[in-house]
Amino acid sequence: MAADPRGVLTGQHYLDGNHAACEGALAAGCRFAAGYPITPSTEVVERIAQRFPTMGGVFIQMEDEIAASITLQGGVWAGKKALTVTSGPGFSLMMEHVGLAAITECPCVFVNVQRGGPSTGLPTLPGQADMMQARWGSHGDYEIIALCPQSPQECFDFAIKAFNLAETWRVPVMLMMDECVGHMTERVVIPNAEDIEVVERNFTKKKPGEYKPFDAGDGWVPEMAKAGDGYNLFVTGLTHDERGYPVMNHHAQEKLVHRLVDKIRKNADKICEWEEDGIEGAEVVVMSYGITSRVAQRGVEIAREQGIKVGTMRLIVAWPFPEKRVKQIAPTIKSFVMPELNYGQMVFELERCVAGMTRTVLVPHGGGEVHDPQVIANAIIEAARGKN
Amino acid sequence: MTEVAINPVNPYLRMDRMPSIWCPGCGIGTSVNCFARALTQSKIDLKKTAVVSGIGCTGRVSGYMSVDSFHTTHGRALAFATGLKLGNPELNVVVYSGEGDLIAIGGNHFIHAARRNLDVLCVCVNNFTYGMTGGQVSPTSPATAKFTTAPLGQFEEPFNLPYLADSCGAVYVARWTTFHVRELTKAMRDALKKRGFRFIEVISPCPTLYQRRNRLGDGLDAMKYYQEKSVKKNGANTSELRIDFQSEITVGTFVDRERPTFADAMNARYKEVLGPRYVPCPDNYVPPQAKGEGT
Amino acid sequence: MTTTEIKFGGLGGQGVILAGIITGKAAALFDNKEATLTQAFGPEARGSACSAQVVVSDTPILYPYVTRPRVLVSMSQDAYTKFSPQIAQGGMLLIEQDMVKPDPIPNEAKVFGVPATRIAEELGRRMILNIVMVGFFTSITKLVSVDAMRKAVEDSVPRGTTDLNLKAFDRGFQWGEKLIH
């Protein structure tokens, strides 16, 4: 379905990633947002607060991130597409409600403009150290989807993608930006509304009495209903059956959690997305995501100038992780090299998938700036020569 | 044939979930009974009514009501309700939870929902303790009473809930006990018809934990206490409504006033600034394709 | 030209960031180039030497930050003192000549001066000195076309001030033209 043209600012703009992410959300049909100010993410909700009133959207600045992360879920059950936006400390406070969104299969978007951590860390400078938190931050077993834009244009594009994935799979989707991408300004091209593909919510057409809100039938994802439509919905964070009724035993737990996890794991092929280049015949493959993938590309070019055969794999969707592709590539190369603005996060997932078939080399960086491309180039060169 | 009398509140309950988890003598069920009757009497559209709860014994109320039920996380019912109400202003949203949920862990959301005059009815069942977790001290626990986490007797200052709600801007504030079923039903009915942040405190017995640990007898003894020590004082100054251990309990309707709700204030402001450019929620926009104009 | 790093520095309130936005926007939207703008945020951005960094390139920009600016536009002495040592060997130093004493001149940079504040005051608005600097920058560096820069000025300044700002741009541009011819 095409986008509602009132949310689409068609044309060429010179925007930073935060403003572009807002425009992407509006184009995707987001009409509810709850937020709490936190550097370096605040521009997203500032723009939403300015833009929503002319398009039927409701924004509320809540009393804290704990509130914001569940207020948006109230908005979703009222029938809206909704998001919240935050950074490090706020993301930590939101974790319980990531779990609530997962178990209630509430389609919603969490934007995290990552900064240096832990704790208050580096509020105005970039990091990529919340990647594991995005995946594992709430207690219990569940799956989410996480996207990593590397430019303001992708902040726009991936915000739309995030909403579409949330609606398709009824999961919380994390738009994992970083301060560098959020605050850098570049050309952002916004297409015509009719050229933007938007996934609308799959509302049930069944009658009350026939409809079971958590029955996925033969598929993976149940149809949805909203409050006020006469379905007497029962939505709970407790383990529940197809009706939504709490059931406190291991059978119900197995059935529900299995589906929550498998609807993503078994469909990873449909969800995973990455860009690759020069893998065929490569000695070394550089895997990266977000802002680091741009800087890494420079490192790759330096290494290629020195005659090293380097392939690249750039994660667009970080979670679920492209395990199948990694397992294909691993036996054909000398080493994976993975630069990240952290001391090792996604590299552990890479290492797990590589399963000893080749080497994995982390190029760590504590955050606060991006990598020096030469450092990445050196790691590639050393990996090719088998030195590190 | 034997005629089985149907309890008139049954249609308001999810009978397939009965019996409830509540202990014999617990007051939560009594309050739900009053609430179901208030729903009938107020004639509000049940299809457009949602009950939101947090966690705890009272947190289970939403799941027994035969309306849209949202059983959320601990303390966050009001934050969820904020999204539900603003996302669909046509809904009647009722938040029904305990004092530990609404006032301790959810205290921040409570004061801000009242400040904003969020258009919800907030029913707080106050039984002075955390029941679900086994009888711990709560923010309303009276001094000297004993709890598992205050075994030598509570010594903190308890919250006076009507005073808190009043100070934060609630437009309707009442307190009744589960002995006062008629008054409580009427209060709920009146509150359902009103707009803005409406707060009803229901003093309720917890025979299993609070009363047993403090040698206060069973549910019937609690009723006797409420009957003997309750003083009806409509319009009482809320600052004087403190409850001490087995002390007098002032009951009544203390606040009944008008103030623009969050949505009223938002709509007025945006209309003033944006004029016809303002598109309020609910937005009844129909995309061109749905009207058959597109391809 | 492949990739050029540019830094605008000055006092908070001089319109330093806007100067950077206009340059980046001109290159990215009206000159079909790639242009990335970054800026310092937080308390450090509110001091006496704030800056906007622009990278302009014919190819996609992989490293977004400016490390060795080929062009440094300095509108205050503090900004000059703080940023001029970073300038690339043989780079260009563009200064507000009444506000900045270019001493020492690092890395054999070439210095070009314009009395931007005085020109802005002559036009009746001291605030538009940044636009005078942008015009001057356009003439001296030739990195972005005049047309693109003028379009970016129109696109970036408050409605109702377009003519005045374009006048400021032209005055800065002419000052530069006289200087190099």
mmCIF file with all atom_site columns, all heavy atoms in Angstrom, chain B residues 271-287:
data_model
loop_
_atom_site.group_PDB
_atom_site.id
_atom_site.type_symbol
_atom_site.label_atom_id
_atom_site.label_alt_id
_atom_site.label_comp_id
_atom_site.label_asym_id
_atom_site.label_entity_id
_atom_site.label_seq_id
_atom_site.pdbx_PDB_ins_code
_atom_site.Cartn_x
_atom_site.Cartn_y
_atom_site.Cartn_z
_atom_site.occupancy
_atom_site.B_iso_or_equiv
_atom_site.pdbx_formal_charge
_atom_site.auth_seq_id
_atom_site.auth_comp_id
_atom_site.auth_asym_id
_atom_site.auth_atom_id
_atom_site.pdbx_PDB_model_num
ATOM 1   N N   . LYS B 1 271 ? -5.541  24.312 17.968 1.00 0.00 ? 271 LYS B N   1
ATOM 2   C CA  . LYS B 1 271 ? -6.518  25.036 17.141 1.00 0.00 ? 271 LYS B CA  1
ATOM 3   C C   . LYS B 1 271 ? -6.200  26.515 17.134 1.00 0.00 ? 271 LYS B C   1
ATOM 4   O O   . LYS B 1 271 ? -6.292  27.184 16.110 1.00 0.00 ? 271 LYS B O   1
ATOM 5   C CB  . LYS B 1 271 ? -7.934  24.813 17.691 1.00 0.00 ? 271 LYS B CB  1
ATOM 6   C CG  . LYS B 1 271 ? -8.666  23.678 16.968 1.00 0.00 ? 271 LYS B CG  1
ATOM 7   C CD  . LYS B 1 271 ? -10.026 23.425 17.577 1.00 0.00 ? 271 LYS B CD  1
ATOM 8   C CE  . LYS B 1 271 ? -10.380 21.958 17.429 1.00 0.00 ? 271 LYS B CE  1
ATOM 9   N NZ  . LYS B 1 271 ? -11.302 21.488 18.463 1.00 0.00 ? 271 LYS B NZ  1
ATOM 10  N N   . GLU B 1 272 ? -5.808  27.022 18.310 1.00 0.00 ? 272 GLU B N   1
ATOM 11  C CA  . GLU B 1 272 ? -5.502  28.443 18.430 1.00 0.00 ? 272 GLU B CA  1
ATOM 12  C C   . GLU B 1 272 ? -4.305  28.800 17.542 1.00 0.00 ? 272 GLU B C   1
ATOM 13  O O   . GLU B 1 272 ? -4.305  29.808 16.855 1.00 0.00 ? 272 GLU B O   1
ATOM 14  C CB  . GLU B 1 272 ? -5.199  28.755 19.898 1.00 0.00 ? 272 GLU B CB  1
ATOM 15  C CG  . GLU B 1 272 ? -5.047  30.231 20.203 1.00 0.00 ? 272 GLU B CG  1
ATOM 16  C CD  . GLU B 1 272 ? -4.550  30.453 21.639 1.00 0.00 ? 272 GLU B CD  1
ATOM 17  O OE1 . GLU B 1 272 ? -4.827  29.601 22.507 1.00 0.00 ? 272 GLU B OE1 1
ATOM 18  O OE2 . GLU B 1 272 ? -3.869  31.470 21.860 1.00 0.00 ? 272 GLU B OE2 1
ATOM 19  N N   . VAL B 1 273 ? -3.296  27.950 17.561 1.00 0.00 ? 273 VAL B N   1
ATOM 20  C CA  . VAL B 1 273 ? -2.055  28.275 16.843 1.00 0.00 ? 273 VAL B CA  1
ATOM 21  C C   . VAL B 1 273 ? -2.148  27.902 15.363 1.00 0.00 ? 273 VAL B C   1
ATOM 22  O O   . VAL B 1 273 ? -1.697  28.656 14.504 1.00 0.00 ? 273 VAL B O   1
ATOM 23  C CB  . VAL B 1 273 ? -0.857  27.543 17.494 1.00 0.00 ? 273 VAL B CB  1
ATOM 24  C CG1 . VAL B 1 273 ? 0.426   27.805 16.723 1.00 0.00 ? 273 VAL B CG1 1
ATOM 25  C CG2 . VAL B 1 273 ? -0.702  27.977 18.949 1.00 0.00 ? 273 VAL B CG2 1
ATOM 26  N N   . LEU B 1 274 ? -2.741  26.765 15.076 1.00 0.00 ? 274 LEU B N   1
ATOM 27  C CA  . LEU B 1 274 ? -2.714  26.258 13.697 1.00 0.00 ? 274 LEU B CA  1
ATOM 28  C C   . LEU B 1 274 ? -3.997  26.519 12.916 1.00 0.00 ? 274 LEU B C   1
ATOM 29  O O   . LEU B 1 274 ? -4.012  26.394 11.685 1.00 0.00 ? 274 LEU B O   1
ATOM 30  C CB  . LEU B 1 274 ? -2.434  24.746 13.696 1.00 0.00 ? 274 LEU B CB  1
ATOM 31  C CG  . LEU B 1 274 ? -1.079  24.303 14.229 1.00 0.00 ? 274 LEU B CG  1
ATOM 32  C CD1 . LEU B 1 274 ? -1.039  22.784 14.369 1.00 0.00 ? 274 LEU B CD1 1
ATOM 33  C CD2 . LEU B 1 274 ? 0.048   24.766 13.316 1.00 0.00 ? 274 LEU B CD2 1
ATOM 34  N N   . GLY B 1 275 ? -5.072  26.854 13.608 1.00 0.00 ? 275 GLY B N   1
ATOM 35  C CA  . GLY B 1 275 ? -6.344  27.082 12.929 1.00 0.00 ? 275 GLY B CA  1
ATOM 36  C C   . GLY B 1 275 ? -6.783  25.850 12.157 1.00 0.00 ? 275 GLY B C   1
ATOM 37  O O   . GLY B 1 275 ? -6.666  24.726 12.666 1.00 0.00 ? 275 GLY B O   1
ATOM 38  N N   . PRO B 1 276 ? -7.243  26.037 10.920 1.00 0.00 ? 276 PRO B N   1
ATOM 39  C CA  . PRO B 1 276 ? -7.771  24.884 10.168 1.00 0.00 ? 276 PRO B CA  1
ATOM 40  C C   . PRO B 1 276 ? -6.704  23.867 9.781  1.00 0.00 ? 276 PRO B C   1
ATOM 41  O O   . PRO B 1 276 ? -7.023  22.763 9.337  1.00 0.00 ? 276 PRO B O   1
ATOM 42  C CB  . PRO B 1 276 ? -8.366  25.537 8.913  1.00 0.00 ? 276 PRO B CB  1
ATOM 43  C CG  . PRO B 1 276 ? -7.735  26.878 8.814  1.00 0.00 ? 276 PRO B CG  1
ATOM 44  C CD  . PRO B 1 276 ? -7.367  27.305 10.197 1.00 0.00 ? 276 PRO B CD  1
ATOM 45  N N   . ARG B 1 277 ? -5.424  24.222 9.933  1.00 0.00 ? 277 ARG B N   1
ATOM 46  C CA  . ARG B 1 277 ? -4.364  23.256 9.589  1.00 0.00 ? 277 ARG B CA  1
ATOM 47  C C   . ARG B 1 277 ? -4.265  22.135 10.617 1.00 0.00 ? 277 ARG B C   1
ATOM 48  O O   . ARG B 1 277 ? -3.644  21.105 10.367 1.00 0.00 ? 277 ARG B O   1
ATOM 49  C CB  . ARG B 1 277 ? -3.013  23.979 9.467  1.00 0.00 ? 277 ARG B CB  1
ATOM 50  C CG  . ARG B 1 277 ? -2.915  24.867 8.227  1.00 0.00 ? 277 ARG B CG  1
ATOM 51  C CD  . ARG B 1 277 ? -1.627  25.672 8.226  1.00 0.00 ? 277 ARG B CD  1
ATOM 52  N NE  . ARG B 1 277 ? -0.454  24.820 8.355  1.00 0.00 ? 277 ARG B NE  1
ATOM 53  C CZ  . ARG B 1 277 ? 0.580   25.075 9.167  1.00 0.00 ? 277 ARG B CZ  1
ATOM 54  N NH1 . ARG B 1 277 ? 0.570   26.158 9.924  1.00 0.00 ? 277 ARG B NH1 1
ATOM 55  N NH2 . ARG B 1 277 ? 1.595   24.266 9.218  1.00 0.00 ? 277 ARG B NH2 1
ATOM 56  N N   . TYR B 1 278 ? -4.876  22.348 11.793 1.00 0.00 ? 278 TYR B N   1
ATOM 57  C CA  . TYR B 1 278 ? -4.784  21.318 12.836 1.00 0.00 ? 278 TYR B CA  1
ATOM 58  C C   . TYR B 1 278 ? -5.681  20.130 12.501 1.00 0.00 ? 278 TYR B C   1
ATOM 59  O O   . TYR B 1 278 ? -6.861  20.291 12.227 1.00 0.00 ? 278 TYR B O   1
ATOM 60  C CB  . TYR B 1 278 ? -5.176  21.912 14.200 1.00 0.00 ? 278 TYR B CB  1
ATOM 61  C CG  . TYR B 1 278 ? -5.165  20.897 15.322 1.00 0.00 ? 278 TYR B CG  1
ATOM 62  C CD1 . TYR B 1 278 ? -4.091  20.009 15.468 1.00 0.00 ? 278 TYR B CD1 1
ATOM 63  C CD2 . TYR B 1 278 ? -6.208  20.821 16.236 1.00 0.00 ? 278 TYR B CD2 1
ATOM 64  C CE1 . TYR B 1 278 ? -4.082  19.068 16.492 1.00 0.00 ? 278 TYR B CE1 1
ATOM 65  C CE2 . TYR B 1 278 ? -6.201  19.889 17.273 1.00 0.00 ? 278 TYR B CE2 1
ATOM 66  C CZ  . TYR B 1 278 ? -5.133  19.014 17.382 1.00 0.00 ? 278 TYR B CZ  1
ATOM 67  O OH  . TYR B 1 278 ? -5.127  18.086 18.403 1.00 0.00 ? 278 TYR B OH  1
ATOM 68  N N   . VAL B 1 279 ? -5.082  18.942 12.508 1.00 0.00 ? 279 VAL B N   1
ATOM 69  C CA  . VAL B 1 279 ? -5.846  17.711 12.280 1.00 0.00 ? 279 VAL B CA  1
ATOM 70  C C   . VAL B 1 279 ? -5.848  16.928 13.585 1.00 0.00 ? 279 VAL B C   1
ATOM 71  O O   . VAL B 1 279 ? -4.857  16.302 13.940 1.00 0.00 ? 279 VAL B O   1
ATOM 72  C CB  . VAL B 1 279 ? -5.217  16.853 11.163 1.00 0.00 ? 279 VAL B CB  1
ATOM 73  C CG1 . VAL B 1 279 ? -6.048  15.579 10.934 1.00 0.00 ? 279 VAL B CG1 1
ATOM 74  C CG2 . VAL B 1 279 ? -5.099  17.655 9.875  1.00 0.00 ? 279 VAL B CG2 1
ATOM 75  N N   . PRO B 1 280 ? -6.948  17.007 14.357 1.00 0.00 ? 280 PRO B N   1
ATOM 76  C CA  . PRO B 1 280 ? -6.931  16.314 15.654 1.00 0.00 ? 280 PRO B CA  1
ATOM 77  C C   . PRO B 1 280 ? -7.087  14.808 15.494 1.00 0.00 ? 280 PRO B C   1
ATOM 78  O O   . PRO B 1 280 ? -7.511  14.324 14.448 1.00 0.00 ? 280 PRO B O   1
ATOM 79  C CB  . PRO B 1 280 ? -8.133  16.912 16.382 1.00 0.00 ? 280 PRO B CB  1
ATOM 80  C CG  . PRO B 1 280 ? -9.008  17.491 15.332 1.00 0.00 ? 280 PRO B CG  1
ATOM 81  C CD  . PRO B 1 280 ? -8.190  17.726 14.095 1.00 0.00 ? 280 PRO B CD  1
ATOM 82  N N   . CYS B 1 281 ? -6.741  14.096 16.537 1.00 0.00 ? 281 CYS B N   1
ATOM 83  C CA  . CYS B 1 281 ? -6.957  12.664 16.617 1.00 0.00 ? 281 CYS B CA  1
ATOM 84  C C   . CYS B 1 281 ? -8.324  12.453 17.270 1.00 0.00 ? 281 CYS B C   1
ATOM 85  O O   . CYS B 1 281 ? -8.621  13.132 18.240 1.00 0.00 ? 281 CYS B O   1
ATOM 86  C CB  . CYS B 1 281 ? -5.854  12.033 17.461 1.00 0.00 ? 281 CYS B CB  1
ATOM 87  S SG  . CYS B 1 281 ? -6.088  10.307 17.802 1.00 0.00 ? 281 CYS B SG  1
ATOM 88  N N   . PRO B 1 282 ? -9.246  11.579 16.847 1.00 0.00 ? 282 PRO B N   1
ATOM 89  C CA  . PRO B 1 282 ? -9.023  10.618 15.772 1.00 0.00 ? 282 PRO B CA  1
ATOM 90  C C   . PRO B 1 282 ? -9.052  11.281 14.408 1.00 0.00 ? 282 PRO B C   1
ATOM 91  O O   . PRO B 1 282 ? -9.857  12.164 14.163 1.00 0.00 ? 282 PRO B O   1
ATOM 92  C CB  . PRO B 1 282 ? -10.189 9.643  15.933 1.00 0.00 ? 282 PRO B CB  1
ATOM 93  C CG  . PRO B 1 282 ? -11.276 10.443 16.559 1.00 0.00 ? 282 PRO B CG  1
ATOM 94  C CD  . PRO B 1 282 ? -10.599 11.458 17.421 1.00 0.00 ? 282 PRO B CD  1
ATOM 95  N N   . ASP B 1 283 ? -8.175  10.811 13.570 1.00 0.00 ? 283 ASP B N   1
ATOM 96  C CA  . ASP B 1 283 ? -8.032  11.355 12.233 1.00 0.00 ? 283 ASP B CA  1
ATOM 97  C C   . ASP B 1 283 ? -8.815  10.441 11.298 1.00 0.00 ? 283 ASP B C   1
ATOM 98  O O   . ASP B 1 283 ? -8.491  9.282  11.153 1.00 0.00 ? 283 ASP B O   1
ATOM 99  C CB  . ASP B 1 283 ? -6.535  11.356 11.906 1.00 0.00 ? 283 ASP B CB  1
ATOM 100 C CG  . ASP B 1 283 ? -6.270  11.655 10.458 1.00 0.00 ? 283 ASP B CG  1
ATOM 101 O OD1 . ASP B 1 283 ? -7.104  12.331 9.843  1.00 0.00 ? 283 ASP B OD1 1
ATOM 102 O OD2 . ASP B 1 283 ? -5.232  11.208 9.952  1.00 0.00 ? 283 ASP B OD2 1
ATOM 103 N N   . ASN B 1 284 ? -9.862  10.965 10.716 1.00 0.00 ? 284 ASN B N   1
ATOM 104 C CA  . ASN B 1 284 ? -10.718 10.108 9.887  1.00 0.00 ? 284 ASN B CA  1
ATOM 105 C C   . ASN B 1 284 ? -10.324 10.135 8.411  1.00 0.00 ? 284 ASN B C   1
ATOM 106 O O   . ASN B 1 284 ? -11.145 9.940  7.538  1.00 0.00 ? 284 ASN B O   1
ATOM 107 C CB  . ASN B 1 284 ? -12.182 10.492 10.069 1.00 0.00 ? 284 ASN B CB  1
ATOM 108 C CG  . ASN B 1 284 ? -12.618 10.250 11.503 1.00 0.00 ? 284 ASN B CG  1
ATOM 109 O OD1 . ASN B 1 284 ? -12.304 9.219  12.086 1.00 0.00 ? 284 ASN B OD1 1
ATOM 110 N ND2 . ASN B 1 284 ? -13.302 11.198 12.084 1.00 0.00 ? 284 ASN B ND2 1
ATOM 111 N N   . TYR B 1 285 ? -9.054  10.391 8.172  1.00 0.00 ? 285 TYR B N   1
ATOM 112 C CA  . TYR B 1 285 ? -8.539  10.440 6.810  1.00 0.00 ? 285 TYR B CA  1
ATOM 113 C C   . TYR B 1 285 ? -8.682  9.076  6.130  1.00 0.00 ? 285 TYR B C   1
ATOM 114 O O   . TYR B 1 285 ? -8.358  8.043  6.706  1.00 0.00 ? 285 TYR B O   1
ATOM 115 C CB  . TYR B 1 285 ? -7.069  10.836 6.848  1.00 0.00 ? 285 TYR B CB  1
ATOM 116 C CG  . TYR B 1 285 ? -6.352  10.717 5.527  1.00 0.00 ? 285 TYR B CG  1
ATOM 117 C CD1 . TYR B 1 285 ? -6.535  11.682 4.540  1.00 0.00 ? 285 TYR B CD1 1
ATOM 118 C CD2 . TYR B 1 285 ? -5.490  9.652  5.269  1.00 0.00 ? 285 TYR B CD2 1
ATOM 119 C CE1 . TYR B 1 285 ? -5.862  11.585 3.336  1.00 0.00 ? 285 TYR B CE1 1
ATOM 120 C CE2 . TYR B 1 285 ? -4.825  9.544  4.077  1.00 0.00 ? 285 TYR B CE2 1
ATOM 121 C CZ  . TYR B 1 285 ? -5.016  10.516 3.106  1.00 0.00 ? 285 TYR B CZ  1
ATOM 122 O OH  . TYR B 1 285 ? -4.357  10.412 1.922  1.00 0.00 ? 285 TYR B OH  1
ATOM 123 N N   . VAL B 1 286 ? -9.191  9.072  4.911  1.00 0.00 ? 286 VAL B N   1
ATOM 124 C CA  . VAL B 1 286 ? -9.287  7.830  4.136  1.00 0.00 ? 286 VAL B CA  1
ATOM 125 C C   . VAL B 1 286 ? -8.328  7.950  2.960  1.00 0.00 ? 286 VAL B C   1
ATOM 126 O O   . VAL B 1 286 ? -8.421  8.888  2.179  1.00 0.00 ? 286 VAL B O   1
ATOM 127 C CB  . VAL B 1 286 ? -10.728 7.622  3.617  1.00 0.00 ? 286 VAL B CB  1
ATOM 128 C CG1 . VAL B 1 286 ? -10.818 6.317  2.840  1.00 0.00 ? 286 VAL B CG1 1
ATOM 129 C CG2 . VAL B 1 286 ? -11.708 7.640  4.771  1.00 0.00 ? 286 VAL B CG2 1
ATOM 130 N N   . PRO B 1 287 ? -7.381  7.016  2.856  1.00 0.00 ? 287 PRO B N   1
ATOM 131 C CA  . PRO B 1 287 ? -6.427  7.113  1.744  1.00 0.00 ? 287 PRO B CA  1
ATOM 132 C C   . PRO B 1 287 ? -7.148  6.972  0.404  1.00 0.00 ? 287 PRO B C   1
ATOM 133 O O   . PRO B 1 287 ? -8.167  6.287  0.315  1.00 0.00 ? 287 PRO B O   1
ATOM 134 C CB  . PRO B 1 287 ? -5.462  5.947  1.982  1.00 0.00 ? 287 PRO B CB  1
ATOM 135 C CG  . PRO B 1 287 ? -6.133  5.061  2.960  1.00 0.00 ? 287 PRO B CG  1
ATOM 136 C CD  . PRO B 1 287 ? -7.112  5.874  3.731  1.00 0.00 ? 287 PRO B CD  1
#
